[in-house]
Amino acid sequence: MGRGRAPCCDKTKVKKGPWSPAEDLRLMSFIQRHGHSNWRSLPKQAGLLRCGKSCRLRWINYLRPDVKRGNFTPEEEETIIKLHNSFGNKWSRIASHLPGRTDNEIKNVWNTNLKKRLTRKTEASDSPMEYSDSPSSSSSSITSNEDRNMEMIDQTVQESGARKPNEKPEFLKVISRHPSDEPKETASSDSSTSSYASYFCNVARPEDIKGPTTLEGKIEIPFESDIDFWNLLDTLDPFQSTNTEQNECENSKAFNAVEKLDGEDECREWLRYLENELGLTGGNGSDNLQNTDHTTSLHQKMNFEPEIEPGMDYFPIWSSSPQNFCI
DNA sequence: AAGGGAGTCAACCGCGGAGGT
DNA sequence: GACCTCCGCGGTTGACTCCCT
């Protein structure tokens, strides 16, 4: 392979950085309808100005329906410690033992939390553990490490109970949390997208919900509205398989033209709808938008100073009602 | 109130492996 | 076997928030 690696995509024509809500919706909608047999061609087919790898990453780490959000439980942390002791930095392998958890998430938890915790433990101990970052050389060492693992786990449980979680806006805690999870310890810088994405993927999807869902009794999300939303998504198919490149180009032009005219107002409408769906407004969205912490945070978290860059984002466009939703 | 350091995490980058031609 | 494409993985980065001074 002496020619060097060809770039996976034209770096000058793809958008980088955080995903916008519209991009997420577009990706979710496309994958729901067409699957993801070819990541490389997916962005083009879906009308996304993203690298295929970026789409894949976003899907796997965030948008996938079965991805589990929220704090790692002590049991999960225990598992990670054990598996890391066995496999080393084989995050995907570790992730395969933790349903719903992604390798990226596990890697982050390890690097930012567990690793330091174990280091502290090691330093504080009179008889330092022989723990190392490298994988054990034989399977027998897994067994021999069991006791030490359990010791670490005890420490882990104790510390996790003692830690005071950083407060996250209440609504973000609710909608970003898997129902069985503990509250998220910290708010992510990009938790805007994580929140609503999890809302769609973990809460709102009809196949995931057997009836009205109550999360800690705080928000009751009507099943029907979610079905409506997903049915609505189902009706959206601006990317028919017969689409030609030219058609896609025309679609993009049309989207851009519309969003230039209406981007900000329509974004507000869309956000209001989202908040109504989440039960965060009492019918008059605008009042609550300014008076509650969580909705203020929602605006902040969603980067709600719409930055409409020509040819970049395709914000969802609401007309007078959600039924006129289009991307 | 302002500033800086620490912590967190989503996203990017580059590499290697698998599979096809 | 050489070359190519695509996917997946692991390391790293950068943006953001929180907390302390």
Side-chain angles (χ1 to χ4, degrees):
Chain A
M1 297 213 213
R3 298 182 191 178
R5 179 175 296 269
C8 64
C9 53
D10 187 346
K11 305 287 183 189
T12 64
K13 293 179 181 174
V14 298
K15 186 186 175 189
K16 289 162 66 173
W19 281 64
S20 71
E23 287 177 308
D24 279 346
L25 275 174
R26 189 173 273 245
L27 179 59
M28 280 191 287
S29 176
F30 182 86
I31 291 177
Q32 190 187 28
R33 300 189 64 78
H34 304 291
H36 49 77
S37 57
N38 188 330
W39 287 111
R40 195 181 172 90
S41 63
L42 186 147
K44 192 175 180 181
Q45 294 172 342
L48 285 161
L49 295 173
R50 290 280 181 174
C51 171
K53 289 172 75 171
S54 181
C55 293
R56 177 187 156 270
L57 203 65
R58 185 64 181 168
W59 174 256
I60 288 176
N61 287 338
Y62 237 102
L63 303 176
R64 210 166 33 127
D66 58 333
V67 71
K68 187 178 172 184
R69 308 300 309 171
N71 258 11
F72 279 69
T73 64
E75 290 75 21
E76 286 175 318
E77 291 181 343
E78 167 190 352
T79 304
I80 292 171
I81 291 168
K82 281 182 182 177
L83 293 173
H84 187 273
N85 207 10
S86 304
F87 303 142
N89 295 354
K90 298 298 177 187
W91 306 117
S92 62
R93 197 167 174 188
I94 294 172
S96 68
H97 289 77
L98 292 161
R101 298 298 189 182
T102 68
D103 53 354
N104 205 32
E105 197 177 11
I106 291 169
K107 180 171 57 183
N108 281 333
V109 166
W110 175 263
N111 286 331
T112 63
N113 196 347
L114 300 179
K115 191 177 179 180
K116 291 173 188 171
R117 198 180 297 165
L118 291 176
T119 302
R120 278 202 306 271
K121 170 78 175 178
T122 303
E123 287 173 352
S125 173
D126 289 335
S127 54
M129 293 183 294
E130 294 173 12
Y131 182 83
S132 83
D133 269 359
S134 56
S136 304
S137 55
S138 70
S139 59
S140 62
S141 63
I142 300 174
T143 306
S144 66
N145 284 327
E146 284 287 320
D147 290 343
R148 283 175 293 184
N149 283 337
M150 292 310 293
E151 194 180 347
M152 296 179 217
I153 292 155
D154 288 343
Q155 171 86 357
T156 300
V157 172
Q158 281 183 357
E159 291 186 10
S160 65
R163 268 180 292 139
K164 182 179 192 298
N166 296 332
E167 277 306 309
K168 184 179 184 178
E170 198 63 23
F171 86 97
L172 284 179
K173 284 193 277 187
V174 171
I175 63 178
S176 66
R177 182 171 60 237
H178 189 277
S180 61
D181 286 344
E182 295 297 313
K184 188 86 171 165
E185 186 174 338
T186 58
S188 139
S189 58
D190 190 30
S191 53
S192 59
T193 49
S194 71
S195 304
Y196 78 82
S198 298
Y199 167 71
F200 288 128
C201 295
N202 289 340
V203 178
R205 292 193 60 162
E207 59 267 37
D208 296 337
I209 299 175
K210 303 294 181 255
T213 302
T214 303
L215 302 176
E216 291 189 353
K218 289 177 180 167
I219 291 182
E220 192 163 314
I221 300 170
F223 182 45
E224 291 78 8
S225 67
D226 298 326
I227 285 179
D228 285 345
F229 183 84
W230 283 97
N231 285 342
L232 189 62
L233 272 187
D234 275 338
T235 67
L236 301 174
D237 196 2
F239 318 111
Q240 300 290 349
S241 56
T242 55
N243 258 5
T244 62
E245 196 172 333
Q246 186 181 1
N247 286 340
E248 289 171 10
C249 185
E250 290 301 318
N251 286 340
S252 296
K253 286 178 185 172
F255 294 141
N256 292 338
V258 172
E259 75 187 20
K260 279 176 189 169
L261 291 173
D262 302 327
E264 187 168 350
D265 288 340
E266 300 297 351
C267 277
R268 290 188 193 284
E269 282 302 308
W270 174 65
L271 193 57
R272 282 197 194 97
Y273 173 78
L274 197 58
E275 289 170 349
N276 281 331
E277 284 299 295
L278 294 171
L280 297 176
T281 63
N284 184 346
S286 58
D287 288 345
N288 290 321
L289 287 178
Q290 295 168 2
N291 293 337
T292 60
D293 289 338
H294 53 252
T295 46
T296 301
S297 296
L298 178 58
H299 279 251
Q300 290 168 347
K301 297 288 184 185
M302 298 192 88
N303 297 320
F304 199 64
E305 290 79 28
E307 295 176 9
I308 311 295
E309 293 180 41
M312 297 303 280
D313 289 337
Y314 307 122
F315 284 85
I317 304 300
W318 296 100
S319 198
S320 56
S321 72
Q323 273 65 34
N324 295 321
F325 171 73
C326 65
I327 357 183

